[in-house]
Amino acid sequence: MKSFLSPLKKRSFIFFGSLFTISYFLLQASIFNYQSLNQVLTHPYPLTYKTTLIAQLILGFPFIFPLWYRIFFFITTFLVGVNVWLTLLVYKEIKRSGSRKWSFGGVNLVAVASTGCSSCGLTLFSFLGPTSGIISIAFNSLQAHIVIMLLLLFSIIYSLKKIQRGTQCAR
């Protein structure tokens, strides 16, 4: 019997969870600063100026918001990273069990999520839906951030339970 938290104790969790968390942070910062980034990248500025300005835009992104928003942003970013890693781990378990095959570009993951695997669907759509930067900025309220974090936490718990019980999806 697997321990409930055993997937979070793996070394791969630290590496891939961090990688997905950083990727999500960079994606959010790029979406928010897309016009500035586009201007910097398309104009003939020196390379050192471009890299300095891009780094300042990305690293300074969360600090334009109030403290409570930054706290929720960093927590949400971490939870999205964990959810992405758990989604891939669940899908790996599904593939190992022989109930699904991997397809090019992970398109099959979306198909599985939309046609029958509740843990894949819940996890995939929990971080693609309300956690997107546009939604969280549009509904810039404490309640919206709490709901987003609760959805992500529920998705993590559900995925961990699914991994513990053994993962099977409908064909």
Side-chain angles (χ1 to χ4, degrees), residues 5-171:
L5 297 176
S6 65
L8 301 179
K9 295 176 183 175
K10 295 181 179 180
R11 286 186 178 181
S12 60
F13 166 71
I14 295 170
F15 176 75
F16 289 110
S18 299
L19 179 70
F20 294 132
T21 298
I22 291 168
S23 299
Y24 182 76
F25 174 82
L26 292 174
L27 178 68
Q28 291 297 312
S30 299
I31 289 171
F32 190 78
N33 292 312
Y34 77 94
Q35 289 178 331
S36 300
L37 289 172
N38 184 35
Q39 188 119 28
V40 169
L41 292 173
T42 57
H43 282 70
Y45 299 126
L47 184 60
T48 55
Y49 177 75
K50 284 183 178 187
T51 55
T52 302
L53 193 55
I54 289 171
Q56 288 176 350
L57 283 172
I58 290 173
L59 295 175
F61 159 70
F63 298 102
I64 62 174
F65 297 106
L67 179 62
W68 69 268
Y69 184 89
R70 283 185 292 215
I71 292 168
F72 282 112
F73 175 75
F74 286 119
I75 292 170
T76 302
T77 301
F78 173 73
L79 293 175
V80 167
V82 172
N83 266 304
V84 171
W85 182 78
L86 283 173
T87 300
L88 294 176
L89 190 64
V90 166
Y91 198 75
K92 182 180 172 185
E93 291 288 323
I94 293 168
K95 183 182 172 194
R96 188 178 58 80
S97 72
S99 61
R100 291 285 177 203
K101 304 288 186 241
W102 187 257
S103 67
F104 180 73
V107 173
N108 201 20
L109 182 61
V110 176
V112 167
S114 63
T115 61
C117 181
S118 57
S119 72
C120 297
L122 176 68
T123 303
L124 184 65
F125 296 122
S126 73
F127 65 79
L128 288 179
T131 61
S132 68
I134 297 167
I135 301 275
S136 64
I137 290 172
F139 299 110
N140 192 13
S141 70
L142 184 61
Q143 295 85 1
H145 288 280
I146 290 172
V147 168
I148 289 168
M149 285 186 354
L150 289 175
L151 281 172
L152 290 168
L153 283 171
F154 179 75
S155 175
I156 289 170
I157 292 168
Y158 188 79
S159 293
L160 287 170
K161 284 187 178 189
K162 189 78 171 170
I163 291 169
Q164 181 185 21
R165 286 190 310 242
T167 307
Q168 290 290 332
C169 284
R171 289 181 191 243

